[in-house]
């Protein structure tokens, strides 16, 4: 076997075309995993194949489920099973091989992504009136096949013979990293009658591939031309998006790119590729430290009692990177500490943040209030957003408590600028503690509800009023822990879907529990290993061997210490990562999280 074939995929069967495309007595060339091959069908119908550069070295070839499959390794895996394909009532239609200038793994991941249906395939596979991706189950079975089950989506035109919209059931199956298929049928119809769509990828090179598109179905009414036109239209809508990715190879390093929070199948797919140690077609891991920006404090003013606003701009007066509503910055303080502050707004000159002087400050807010003055320079990280305001949201209920107004103000400005009318409930101790009150009154008018000096019961009554009618609204909340716990409780009681209630935590709402069984951490870049005792955090264990990670809250809230997991299963105990991100086990916060496996390998 040539040394350049990645052992993680050397034994996989990969498609190079349809079986009927190669008649007895003929041959053709094919390219697979960077190798040029010859494939021949003998007069007796059997297939044979060999490497063009090594004619005496054969590779394995077979027909299966309408495709010609090749394996370049010495020991092929068993062929995938698909008993339904043999049903004589089914039609099999090969719709062609389509060249795509994108990494083959990118194409597979896109195939698994339902979230893009309403936007890329509007009025066909999805609608902008129904964008929610409902929860579904993802697993890697004993045969090392990835399955995503109970996937449901409302589709205006699900197939060539569809007469109108339908709630459609999907089951995704990925038999190897380049060979996904989809079982698809309208809700209520037997799964035995599902259409089976194949998107078998021929990975020609790391940044180019051929997508072999086929379908097995029971449709006896539609012509082959109608079915092909429908399915090819879908692929044609995806192709330009795939070819315009910045990274054509698939990044597994979360510092480069993280899958959508709603995309459990994509997260599991990436985790699977990491677990089998695939390198071919994978974007190289980033070795760069987190970038910092130098900014000048252009202005400092008091906007409420104990709250000071800072305007930050580039010393060269140039533009700063975009900070979308809900973003925050890592601010590197003169005393060496790193603290996170929400971006209230951004204009042509730079960012605005507002900081409350906390009575129990650990040094961050005091340093900014007392030591940082206009004209000084600071270092900040690039804007990060874990409290994102989806631009498609039409109706929003905003809830802020005290200094929690900072990200909520940015959202109110963004929504108002787009002609929306958000409702804001702003809880403060008193009128003099209400930052940006005049601007909010001018911006929102009667949609601003200012609640001053309320008791806990009065606060809960107002939260119940705010969350009285859900509908298609999304709620965004930021504030002190008691308010956030109240909102969580009321939203659950009123049956708000979890994906329509969004929180930005300044501090944990539950006590930190960072103890547990001892385990070993291995640092992938240096090979060093450190034992993490039952009463010690990973961050503390690393400090003991003179390895210092950037940290801030050390409560699993801010995300400063976020790192990449290469191997092992983290025990997530943070309030920063989403449920989907935790399930993928691709990242963790070592300040509080631990390990469920005996050894945890981190990209450090």
């Amino acid at each position: 076997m040539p040394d350049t074939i990645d052992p993680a995929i050397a034994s996989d069967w990969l498609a190079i075309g349809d079986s009927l495309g190669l008649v007895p007595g003929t041959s053709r060339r094919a390219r697979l995993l960077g190798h040029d091959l010859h494939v021949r069908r003998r007069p007796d119908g059997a297939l044979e194949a060999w490497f063009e550069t090594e004619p005496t070295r054969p590779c394995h070839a077979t027909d299966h489920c309408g495709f010609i499959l090749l394996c370049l390794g010495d020991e092929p895996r068993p062929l995938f099973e698909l008993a339904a394909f043999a049903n004589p009532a089914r039609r099999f239609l090969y719709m062609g091989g389509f060249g795509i200038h994108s990494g083959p793994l990118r194409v597979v991941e896109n195939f698994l992504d339902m979230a893009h249906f309403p936007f890329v395939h509007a009025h066909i596979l999805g609608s902008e009136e129904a964008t929610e991706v409902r929860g579904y189950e993802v697993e890697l079975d004993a045969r090392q096949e990835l399955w995503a089950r109970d996937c449901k989506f409302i589709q205006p035109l699900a197939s060539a013979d569809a007469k109108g919209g339908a709630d459609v059931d999907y089951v995704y199956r990925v038999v190897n990293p380049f060979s996904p298929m989809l079982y698809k049928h309208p809700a209520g119809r037997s799964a035995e009658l599902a259409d089976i769509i194949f998107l078998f990828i021929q990975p020609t090179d790391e940044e180019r591939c051929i997508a072999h598109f086929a379908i097995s179905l029971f449709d006896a009414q539609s012509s082959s031309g109608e079915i092909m036109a429908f399915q090819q239209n879908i692929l044609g809508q995806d192709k330009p998006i795939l070819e315009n990715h910045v990274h054509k190879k698939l990044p597994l390093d979360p510092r480069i790119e993280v899958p959508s929070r709603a995309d459990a199948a994509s997260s599991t797919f990436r985790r699977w590729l990491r677990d089998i140690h695939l390198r071919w077609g994978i974007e190289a891991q980033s070795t760069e430290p987190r970038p910092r920006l130098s900014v000048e404090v252009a202005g400092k003013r008091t906007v409420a009692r104990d709250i000071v606003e800072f305007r930050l701009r580039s010393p060269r007066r140039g533009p700063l990177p975009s900070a979308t509503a809900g973003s925050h910055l890592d601010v590197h303080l003169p005393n060496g500490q790193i603290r996170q502050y929400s971006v209230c707004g951004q204009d042509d000159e730079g960012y605005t943040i507002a900081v409350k002087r906390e009575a129990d400050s650990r040094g961050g807010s005091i340093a900014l209030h007392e030591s940082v003055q206009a004209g000084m320079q600071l270092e900040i990280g690039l804007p990060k957003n874990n409290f994102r305001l989806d631009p498609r949201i039409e109706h929003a209920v905003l809830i802020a408590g005290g200094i929690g107004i900072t990200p909520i103000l940015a959202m109110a400005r963004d929504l108002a600028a787009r002609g929306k009318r958000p409702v804001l409930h702003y809880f403060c101790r008193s009128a003099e503690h209400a930052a940006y009150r005049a601007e909010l009154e001018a911006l929102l008018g009667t949609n601003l509800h200012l609640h001053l000096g309320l008791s806990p019961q009065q606060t809960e009554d107002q939260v119940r009023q705010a969350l009285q009618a859900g509908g298609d609204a999304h709620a965004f909340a930021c504030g002190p822990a008691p308010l956030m716990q109240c909102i969580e409780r009321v939203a659950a009681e009123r049956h708000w879907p979890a994906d329509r209630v969004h929180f930005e935590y300044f501090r944990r709402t539950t006590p930190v529990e960072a103890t547990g069984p001892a385990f070993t951490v291995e640092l992938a870049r240096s090979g060093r290993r450190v034992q993490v005792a039952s009463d010690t955090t990973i961050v503390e264990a690393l400090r003991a061997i003179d390895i210092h990670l950037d940290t801030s809250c050390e409560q699993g809230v801010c995300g400063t210490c976020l790192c990449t997991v290469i191997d092992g299963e983290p025990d997530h105990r943070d309030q920063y990562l989403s449920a989907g991100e935790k399930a993928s086990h691709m990242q963790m916060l070592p300040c509080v999280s631990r390990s469920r496996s005996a050894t945890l390998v981190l990209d450090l």
Side-chain angles (χ1 to χ4, degrees), residues 5-165:
I5 299 175
D6 191 316
I9 50 177
S11 297
D12 288 331
W13 289 100
L14 304 175
I16 62 151
D18 68 312
S19 292
L20 297 179
L22 191 63
V23 299
T26 63
S27 63
R28 54 164 291 192
R29 296 180 66 195
R31 187 168 175 82
L32 196 61
L33 299 175
H35 294 274
D36 291 317
L37 309 164
H38 278 281
V39 185
R40 177 176 177 267
R41 190 179 296 280
R42 299 197 308 247
D44 63 1
L47 289 169
E48 57 185 5
W50 60 92
F51 290 90
E52 186 174 87
T53 56
E54 300 179 74
T56 60
R57 183 186 294 273
C59 57
H60 301 273
T62 191
D63 293 294
H64 189 58
C65 292
F67 290 92
I68 296 175
L69 304 180
L70 302 185
C71 174
L72 304 191
D74 295 329
E75 299 180 6
R77 291 191 174 94
L79 292 163
F80 65 88
E81 298 177 2
L82 188 61
F85 187 82
N87 188 325
R90 283 185 172 274
R91 297 171 63 185
F92 178 75
L93 183 61
Y94 176 73
M95 293 175 284
F98 301 87
I100 301 176
H101 186 196
S102 184
L105 298 169
R106 279 283 194 195
V107 182
V108 175
E109 185 180 60
N110 181 77
F111 186 70
L112 299 175
D113 174 30
M114 291 183 291
H116 77 288
F117 287 174
F119 312 106
V120 179
H121 308 301
H123 313 301
I124 304 175
L125 300 185
S127 166
E128 292 189 7
E129 286 73 43
T131 62
E132 179 184 355
V133 177
R134 286 170 274 181
Y136 57 94
E137 299 297 323
V138 186
E139 69 163 348
L140 197 63
D141 70 10
R143 293 172 298 184
Q144 288 296 289
E145 292 185 1
L146 188 152
W147 290 81
R149 296 183 174 89
D150 298 323
C151 309
K152 299 180 184 294
F153 218 87
I154 298 174
Q155 297 190 331
L157 192 64
S159 62
D161 66 337
K163 306 303 181 186

Side-chain angles (χ1 to χ4, degrees), residues 14-15 31-34 104 178 201-205 208-210 280:
L14 304 175
R31 187 168 175 82
L32 196 61
L33 299 175
F178 302 104
I201 307 303
Q202 177 182 343
T204 55
D205 295 282
R208 291 183 182 273
C209 63
I210 299 172
W280 195 92

Side-chain angles (χ1 to χ4, degrees), residues 292-299 310-321 329-332 349-353 368 372-383:
R292 298 182 187 179
L293 302 173
S294 292
V295 293
E296 177 186 311
V297 180
F310 297 86
R311 290 188 295 110
L312 309 176
R313 68 184 179 192
S314 167
R316 299 180 180 180
R317 306 298 189 268
L320 292 172
L329 303 172
D330 289 343
V331 179
H332 297 256
E349 289 196 353
Y351 309 126
T352 301
I353 62 173
L368 277 164
V372 175
Q373 306 298 331
M376 292 180 61
Q377 289 201 2
L378 296 172
E379 284 194 333
I380 62 173
L382 294 174

Side-chain angles (χ1 to χ4, degrees), residues 153-272:
F153 218 87
I154 298 174
Q155 297 190 331
L157 192 64
S159 62
D161 66 337
K163 306 303 181 186
D167 201 2
V168 179
D169 290 341
Y170 274 32
V171 174
Y172 287 96
R173 179 186 180 189
V174 188
V175 299
N176 65 51
F178 302 104
S179 304
M181 60 181 74
L182 167 66
Y183 303 78
K184 174 179 177 179
H185 62 92
R189 181 178 171 183
S190 170
E192 298 295 322
L193 303 178
D195 294 348
I196 304 174
I197 298 172
F198 304 84
L199 191 70
F200 281 4
I201 307 303
Q202 177 182 343
T204 55
D205 295 282
E206 291 190 281
E207 296 189 1
R208 291 183 182 273
C209 63
I210 299 172
H212 295 284
F213 206 12
I215 187 168
S216 170
L217 73 170
F218 287 98
D219 180 1
Q221 286 77 40
S222 303
S223 69
S224 296
E226 290 171 327
I227 297 171
M228 291 177 68
F230 178 84
Q231 298 293 347
Q232 289 175 0
N233 181 41
I234 301 299
L235 186 59
Q237 292 172 335
D238 282 320
K239 189 173 185 287
I241 295 173
L242 287 165
E243 293 183 337
N244 279 284
H245 277 293
V246 173
H247 301 286
K248 294 192 180 298
K249 292 186 283 188
L250 187 67
L252 300 186
D253 186 344
R255 290 170 298 178
I256 301 174
E257 182 180 288
V258 179
S260 162
R261 286 173 178 253
D263 199 356
S266 175
S267 294
T268 306
F269 179 62
R270 292 190 182 202
R271 175 72 178 184
W272 178 29

Side-chain angles (χ1 to χ4, degrees), residues 499-520:
D499 60 355
R500 290 183 180 269
V501 187
H502 313 271
F503 298 96
E504 175 85 322
Y505 298 96
F506 287 158
R507 297 184 180 179
R508 290 187 69 95
T509 57
T510 57
V512 177
E513 177 52 67
T515 61
F519 58 96
T520 299

